[in-house]
Amino acid sequence: MNFIMKEQLLKIAEEAKNVLSAAATAAELEDARVRFLGKKGELTAVLRGMGQLSAEERPVIGQVANEVRGQIEDLIESKKTAVLAAERTAKLASEKIDVTMAGKKPALGKRHPLTTVLDEVKEIFIGMGFSIAEGPEVELDYYNFEALNIPKDHPARDTQDSFYISDSVVLRSQTSPVQVRVMEQQKPPLRIISPGRVYRSDAVDATHSPVFHQIEGLVVDKGITMADLKGTLETFLKTLYGPEAKIRLRPHHFPFTEPSAEVDVSCFVCGGKGCRVCKGEGFIEILGAGMVHPKVLERCGIDPNVYSGFAFGLGLERVVMRRMNIDDLRLFYDNDLRFLKQF
Ligand code: PHE
């Protein structure tokens, strides 16, 4: 009995030595500990049989068993230090960052053609002493129509079919309400442009969109005449389209300007001779303008006997389409990179 048990214990010690020397990870070490020293482990199983030993044999075997346990514990302990160090080294190596490696270049976006041209337009007007004004896109019917001399049931409302939020609130159909807001808040001399988004319930096609952009202009001071309007627009359009551009005013009607005009610029393709782009006209309509109606001035608390002013409004999309030879307005809003990358 004594002899067999001693043999078994030495075999366990031998086996443990082999297993532990092969263990390479903390998990494998733990498995080995459970296998040899655990409650259901091999050593415990042998010790359980000690009850059958005689009183003389028990302390002898007990001593061997303790020695074996001690050896295995020491082995595990020393191996643990080595394994943890190796694991730490491996972890550090796998997390190493090569700071000298070339980086990935982030893809750089581009400005949208509408933004590029709007910035150009702003620059031109700022250069002429204008400042930028802003107004709300969700606007009172009063500012979008009433104060601009377009009462309820006025036929001019039909040409600007609007999105109504309620009877008195609309998505602005033009940037002209900003004129009124500026004149209510500031006293002349006034010189502003107001770019922004406008909304009309138009079906989408190559030249229409329910959302587009306008740029409003307003000048109010003593002694402002139609000549100032023409001179300002001529300077603006020549800067935008080149010094050879010519402008032409045609009589028109807007309820909030009197007199009113539509302004054409000589065709940038044929220079005025007539071609397919200008449909043989030589000129292309570019904006609406006029002298601010005395009733509009009065409503904003500006005395029309002392002050006069001019206003104009242009569609940004139209200007960009002509500048960049784009024939379909929908391209601006499709977000197709193949289109946007060209500018
Ligand atoms: N708001 C007008 C439109 O949308 C354009 C305009 C602005 C005309 C200012 C005259 C003066 O048609």
Side-chain angles (χ1 to χ4, degrees), residues 148 159-160 173-177 179 200 212 214-217 254 256-257 260-261 287-291 310-314:
L148 290 165
T159 62
Q160 299 195 1
S173 61
Q174 48 185 348
T175 42
S176 302
Q179 286 185 31
R200 293 188 194 179
F212 59 103
Q214 285 190 336
I215 304 163
E216 194 81 7
F254 296 105
F256 41 93
T257 47
S260 303
L287 53 85
M291 301 305 292
F310 67 78
F312 57 90
L314 68 147

Side-chain angles (χ1 to χ4, degrees), residues 286-298:
I286 206 85
L287 53 85
M291 301 305 292
V292 182
H293 198 294
K295 270 193 183 171
V296 176
L297 290 175
E298 220 162 29

